[in-house]
C-alpha cells in the first residue's frame, strides 16, 4: 500500500514538472513573437520577444529624377520598443514597372551580404547611413526605370514594407510612321520609340503633358497597350465641341492587328544637339556624312525634343534627323517660325534628295 502511494506521489510530481516546463516555453500573450532565427539557418535558435513591433516607412511617396542621373529612394525601419542591440534583418527592394508587368527583384541584403539583379546590377546599393537606413540609391537612370519601388524588411516572422514611386522628368511627343498616320502595331510602336532614343510613354506621362498643353488629334499607343490622345482645345475632328478637354481613350487594342501612331517619352541628354549647315544645304546622305565629319552623329527625334525641352534649343531652320524627317525646335515663337506656341515643328518625311540643314548630336562621352 505504501509503495502504491509513493508511486502516485512521483507521478504527480512528474506532471507538475512537465507543466512548469511548458509554461516557460509556450507564449501566453497575443503580443508575443515566437520564431526561429531563419537568417542564420539554425532552427534551434529560438527568439522570444514580448511586445516588440517592426515599423517600415518612406519619407516621401514619389521621387523625381532625369535620365542618366541618380535617384535616392528613402526607406527606414525601426522597432518599438527600441532594441538594446541591433539585429540582422533581410531588406529587399523590388520594382513594378510603370509600363506594367510583373514585380521583379532589384536588390536583396542580409547583413553585409548584398545582391542586385537584372538591369539594376551594378547600379544600385543601400545607403546605410544610420541603423535602420534601408534607402536605395540608383545610378545611371534609364528611361524604363520608372515605376513603383517596394522596400520590404523581414525580421523573423515579421514582414513590413513601404513603396516609393520613381518618375522621370521628360517630354512626351507624338510620332508616326514615315508612310503616314496609323501604320504602327504595338510592337512597331515600341521599336519606333527606341530607334528615336525614347520609350513608349505611360498614361501618367501623357496626362502630365496634356496638363502642360499637349494638344494632338491623332490616337497613339501607350506603354500599357491602350490607345489615347490629348485634347486641350475641343474641335469637330477630335470628338466634337461638346466634349470637355481631356485625354481621349480608345481603351486597349489588339497589339498585333490594330494600327495607330505612338506617344514616345524622352528625358534629358548627356550630350548636345546643334544645327549644322556648313556652306550649302544637303540631302539626307550628305547630312549624315557631315555630322560624322564633325565627330557627331545625326540627331534622333527624341534627342531633338529633349534638347528643346531641357536645353532651350531654339533654331528657326529646318534640318534632317536620323529617321529621315525634317524638323526644327522653337522655344521663342516669332514671325515666320510656325505657330504661336513653342514646340518642335515638323515638315514630315520629304524625299531623301531634298536639300536642308541637319541637326547633329554629340555625346558627352565622346
Amino acid at each position: 500500500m505504501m509503495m502504491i502511494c509513493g508511486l502516485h506521489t512521483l507521478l504527480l510530481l512528474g506532471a507538475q514538472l512537465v507543466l512548469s516546463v511548458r509554461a516557460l516555453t509556450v507564449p501566453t500573450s497575443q503580443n508575443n513573437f515566437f520564431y526561429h532565427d531563419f537568417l542564420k539557418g539554425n532552427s534551434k535558435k529560438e527568439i522570444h520577444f514580448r511586445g516588440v513591433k517592426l515599423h517600415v516607412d518612406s519619407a516621401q511617396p514619389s521621387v523625381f529624377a532625369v535620365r542618366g542621373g541618380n535617384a535616392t529612394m528613402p526607406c527606414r525601419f525601426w522597432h518599438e520598443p527600441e532594441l538594446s542591440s541591433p539585429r540582422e534583418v533581410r531588406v529587399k527592394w523590388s520594382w513594378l514597372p510603370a509600363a506594367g508587368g510583373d514585380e521583379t527583384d532589384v536588390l536583396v541584403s542580409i547583413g553585409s551580404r548584398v545582391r542586385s539583379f537584372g538591369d539594376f546590377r551594378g547600379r544600385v546599393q543601400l545607403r546605410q547611413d544610420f541603423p535602420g537606413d534601408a534607402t536605395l540609391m540608383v545610378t545611371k537612370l534609364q528611361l524604363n526605370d520608372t515605376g513603383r519601388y517596394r522596400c520590404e524588411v523581414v525580421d523573423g516572422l515579421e514582414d513590413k514594407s513601404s513603396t516609393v514611386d520613381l518618375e522621370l522628368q521628360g517630354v512626351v511627343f507624338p510620332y508616326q510612321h514615315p508612310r503616314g498616320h496609323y501604320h504602327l502595331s504595338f510592337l512597331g510602336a515600341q521599336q519606333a520609340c527606341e530607334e528615336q532614343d525614347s520609350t513608349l510613354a505611360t498614361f501618367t506621362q501623357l496626362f502630365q503633358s496634356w496638363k502642360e498643353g499637349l494638344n494632338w488629334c491623332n490616337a497613339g499607343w501607350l506603354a500599357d497597350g491602350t490607345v489615347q490622345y490629348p485634347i486641350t482645345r475641343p474641335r469637330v475632328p477630335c470628338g466634337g465641341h461638346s466634349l470637355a478637354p481631356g485625354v481621349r481613350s480608345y481603351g486597349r487594342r489588339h497589339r498585333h492587328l490594330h494600327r495607330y501612331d505612338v506617344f514616345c517619352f524622352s528625358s534629358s541628354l548627356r550630350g548636345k544637339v546643334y544645327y549644322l549647315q556648313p556652306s550649302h544645304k544637303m540631302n539626307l546622305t550628305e547630312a549624315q556624312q557631315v555630322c560624322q565629319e564633325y565627330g557627331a552623329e545625326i540627331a534622333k527625334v527624341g534627342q531633338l525634343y529633349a534638347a528643346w525641352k531641357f536645353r532651350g534649343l531654339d533654331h528657326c531652320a529646318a534640318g534632317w534627323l536620323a529617321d529621315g524627317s525634317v524638323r526644327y525646335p522653337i522655344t521663342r515663337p516669332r514671325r515666320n517660325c510656325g505657330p504661336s506656341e513653342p514646340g518642335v515643328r515638323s515638315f514630315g518625311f520629304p524625299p531623301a534628295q531634298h536639300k536642308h540643314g541637319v541637326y547633329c548630336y554629340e555625346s558627352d562621352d565622346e
Side-chain angles (χ1 to χ4, degrees), residues 185-197:
S185 66
F186 179 78
L187 295 178
Q190 279 184 319
Q191 182 178 352
C193 289
E194 291 172 0
E195 289 174 351
Q196 300 312 313
D197 192 46

Side-chain angles (χ1 to χ4, degrees), residues 118-131:
D119 290 338
F120 293 98
R121 188 175 288 114
R123 297 195 295 127
V124 292
Q125 64 180 6
L126 294 184
R127 188 174 61 185
Q128 296 180 316
D129 279 355
F130 52 85

Side-chain angles (χ1 to χ4, degrees), residues 51-66:
V52 176
K53 190 170 183 61
L54 173 68
H55 296 270
V56 177
D57 181 58
S58 298
Q60 58 193 96
S62 298
V63 171
F64 295 87
V66 295

Side-chain angles (χ1 to χ4, degrees), residues 45 80 120 153:
K45 289 193 174 183
E80 288 185 353
F120 293 98
V153 179

Side-chain angles (χ1 to χ4, degrees), residues 189-222:
Q190 279 184 319
Q191 182 178 352
C193 289
E194 291 172 0
E195 289 174 351
Q196 300 312 313
D197 192 46
S198 59
T199 188
L200 276 168
T202 66
F203 172 78
T204 300
Q205 292 163 347
L206 181 66
F207 185 74
Q208 179 62 34
S209 296
W210 168 76
K211 291 196 295 184
E212 295 172 358
L214 182 61
N215 182 70
W216 196 256
C217 196
N218 295 308
W221 290 103
L222 295 181

Side-chain angles (χ1 to χ4, degrees), residues 216-268:
W216 196 256
C217 196
N218 295 308
W221 290 103
L222 295 181
D224 60 358
T226 62
V227 173
Q228 311 196 37
Y229 63 100
I231 295 296
T232 59
R233 298 189 303 274
R235 49 203 186 274
V236 173
C238 308
H241 292 288
S242 59
L243 291 178
V247 177
R248 317 275 196 246
S249 177
Y250 288 1
R252 295 186 182 277
R253 312 304 288 172
H254 196 289
R255 297 190 175 203
H256 301 289
L257 298 179
H258 291 147
R259 299 289 189 272
Y260 295 96
D261 294 343
V262 62
F263 289 99
C264 302
F265 174 81
S266 186
S267 187
S268 65

Side-chain angles (χ1 to χ4, degrees), residues 281-303:
K281 293 186 177 182
M282 304 155 284
N283 61 35
L284 178 57
T285 301
E286 293 168 338
Q288 293 168 331
Q289 292 172 347
V290 76
C291 286
Q292 293 175 355
E293 291 171 1
Y294 278 78
E297 61 184 24
I298 188 168
K300 299 175 181 179
V301 178
Q303 293 167 340

Side-chain angles (χ1 to χ4, degrees), residues 105-182:
D105 290 344
V106 174
L107 176 146
V108 174
S109 170
I110 303 176
S112 60
R113 293 164 290 172
V114 181
R115 182 181 178 186
S116 54
F117 301 89
D119 290 338
F120 293 98
R121 188 175 288 114
R123 297 195 295 127
V124 292
Q125 64 180 6
L126 294 184
R127 188 174 61 185
Q128 296 180 316
D129 279 355
F130 52 85
D133 184 14
T135 296
L136 181 71
M137 303 176 68
V138 188
T139 62
K140 299 178 182 177
L141 287 170
Q142 302 173 4
L143 289 176
N144 290 324
D145 286 343
T146 56
R148 175 158 294 180
Y149 289 75
R150 181 179 301 278
C151 173
E152 180 183 19
V153 179
V154 180
D155 184 5
L157 292 184
E158 279 211 276
D159 184 341
K160 302 291 183 180
S161 65
S162 183
T163 60
V164 182
D165 290 333
L166 174 63
E167 300 180 31
L168 293 186
Q169 298 170 332
V171 56
V172 172
F173 61 93
Y175 190 80
Q176 69 179 67
H177 193 277
R179 292 200 302 268
H181 288 299
Y182 298 170

